[in-house]
Amino acid sequence: MQLYSIETGNFKLDGGAMFGVVPKSIWQKTNPADANNMIDIAARCLLIEDGNRLILIDTGMGAKQSSKFFGYYYFWGDHSLDSSLKKHGFHRDDITDVFLTHLHFDHCGGCIQWNHDKTGYESAFKNAHFWSNESHWQWAVQPNKREKASFLKENILPIQESGQLKFTSLPTGDLLKNSDLGFDIFFANGHTEKQMIPLIKYKNKTIAFMADLLPTIGHIPIPYVMGYDTRPLLTLDEKDKFLNQAASENFYLFLQHDAYNEIITVQHAERGVRLNTIYTSQDIFQ
């Protein structure tokens, strides 16, 4: 097995929304804001090469939305999904499986693209299965008013229409062992219904793809929860359980949204779980 960090494009989000009730005087120490109160955010995905399978975890926003839509997110830098795949010697047609942690637009928008004459949509990964779970899929296609702006039908419905959609099994608790993708999955419900956190065994390490359970290093303290989370008190419990296990078992936490820190470990400290060590993907994946 080999792992690759796939940068799909950096953008900005409101710092207050990203940190909820945490005061700016605290969160700006780890996530400094610009004059518009926007902080730097990554859309970092993970590619797993395992035998004949090439599994991409999440896809970023994609490029099919309007210029007005993208104008809200202040894109910066020169990363793209295709250039990042090419850097590692791959093309999107090589992907056999796309695993979607959840269906918010910044995680699944790249699954679907305009067709050749821009009269409709088509799969951006013609040879891949797209993996979600049935509970989250139903949550996304019949969205609540809070999340409706994040579940865009043009990102979601064409996946099913393509015939490429598959569902993982659902666990009796919060951990699915030995999923169809070859890794364990932690299910978290605080951010959205049945968000999936992959736990990948790699060279005697556990790599946890953190998605929106832990967006940046600034979110490590248990009460530091995003304003975007639908059930923040549930997120508190999930973070408490997961990060304490990560500290005890030395998980390597792959950060999807931290623009400057790719992989970290955490440790037990007097005030709870705190940052231990910061790594680059080259440190861990080479």
Side-chain angles (χ1 to χ4, degrees):
M1 178 188 290
Q2 186 59 53
L3 304 182
Y4 308 91
S5 179
I6 302 297
E7 301 280 359
T8 68
N10 297 326
F11 58 104
K12 291 178 179 285
L13 288 175
D14 183 85
M18 283 296 290
F19 283 92
V21 300
V22 180
K24 181 178 181 180
S25 58
I26 295 176
W27 59 253
Q28 69 178 355
K29 295 175 183 177
T30 54
N31 299 76
D34 65 16
N36 294 316
N37 209 48
M38 309 291 281
I39 64 174
D40 292 345
I41 297 293
R44 183 178 299 115
C45 302
L46 184 63
L47 186 65
I48 306 171
E49 184 181 18
D50 190 12
N52 293 326
R53 299 184 88 167
L54 197 61
I55 305 169
L56 180 64
I57 301 178
D58 282 353
T59 65
M61 288 191 197
K64 67 183 176 298
Q65 305 302 138
S66 68
S67 57
K68 180 180 179 181
F69 176 90
F70 288 123
Y72 298 135
Y73 300 104
Y74 303 92
F75 280 84
W76 57 276
D78 56 3
H79 295 307
S80 73
L81 173 61
D82 287 318
S83 64
S84 193
L85 287 173
K86 184 178 180 179
K87 173 184 173 182
H88 297 298
F90 300 109
H91 185 274
R92 64 175 62 222
D93 291 350
D94 300 325
I95 304 298
T96 62
D97 302 89
V98 176
F99 179 88
L100 299 168
T101 61
H102 60 298
L103 295 167
H104 288 168
F105 65 83
D106 56 322
H107 295 260
C108 76
C111 293
I112 301 299
Q113 62 189 9
W114 286 108
N115 61 16
H116 179 68
D117 55 6
K118 290 195 173 184
T119 58
Y121 301 113
E122 65 182 13
S123 169
F125 300 89
K126 64 181 183 180
N127 298 315
H129 295 302
F130 293 96
W131 293 88
S132 182
N133 67 76
E134 191 167 7
S135 291
H136 181 67
W137 183 267
Q138 292 303 317
W139 186 271
V141 298
Q142 301 174 20
N144 59 75
K145 292 181 180 179
R146 174 72 179 277
E147 289 181 275
K148 189 174 183 179
S150 294
F151 290 129
L152 305 181
K153 62 183 180 180
E154 62 267 31
N155 287 340
I156 298 172
L157 298 182
I159 296 176
Q160 186 173 47
E161 293 164 1
S162 73
Q164 296 170 260
L165 176 64
K166 287 185 173 291
F167 292 140
T168 67
S169 301
L170 290 169
T172 54
D174 55 21
L175 185 66
L176 177 65
K177 301 283 287 185
N178 301 315
S179 74
D180 295 301
L181 282 299
F183 45 73
D184 297 345
I185 305 170
F186 178 79
F187 284 74
N189 296 291
H191 179 61
T192 187
E193 177 73 7
K194 294 293 186 292
Q195 176 184 205
M196 298 190 288
I197 307 298
L199 302 172
I200 302 145
K201 298 297 184 182
Y202 174 74
K203 295 183 178 179
N204 298 316
K205 298 179 178 68
T206 298
I207 311 295
F209 186 93
M210 295 306 296
D212 283 335
L213 183 60
L214 184 71
T216 75
I217 61 169
H219 291 86
I220 292 174
I222 303 302
Y224 291 21
V225 174
M226 291 190 294
Y228 298 113
D229 287 15
T230 60
R231 290 163 285 186
L233 295 181
L234 185 52
T235 298
L236 290 178
D237 291 340
E238 292 166 344
K239 280 182 64 181
D240 193 20
K241 175 180 180 178
F242 192 93
L243 292 185
N244 273 284
Q245 181 181 1
S248 296
E249 300 182 22
N250 197 37
F251 289 177
Y252 289 77
L253 309 181
F254 186 93
L255 301 181
Q256 184 167 23
H257 285 316
D258 194 312
Y260 302 104
N261 303 286
E262 289 184 285
I263 300 172
I264 63 169
T265 56
V266 293
Q267 61 185 337
H268 298 293
E270 183 177 347
R271 298 180 62 190
V273 176
R274 291 294 184 268
L275 178 67
N276 184 12
T277 306
I278 299 171
Y279 300 94
T280 69
S281 58
Q282 288 187 332
D283 294 330
I284 306 301
F285 298 162
Q286 297 303 316

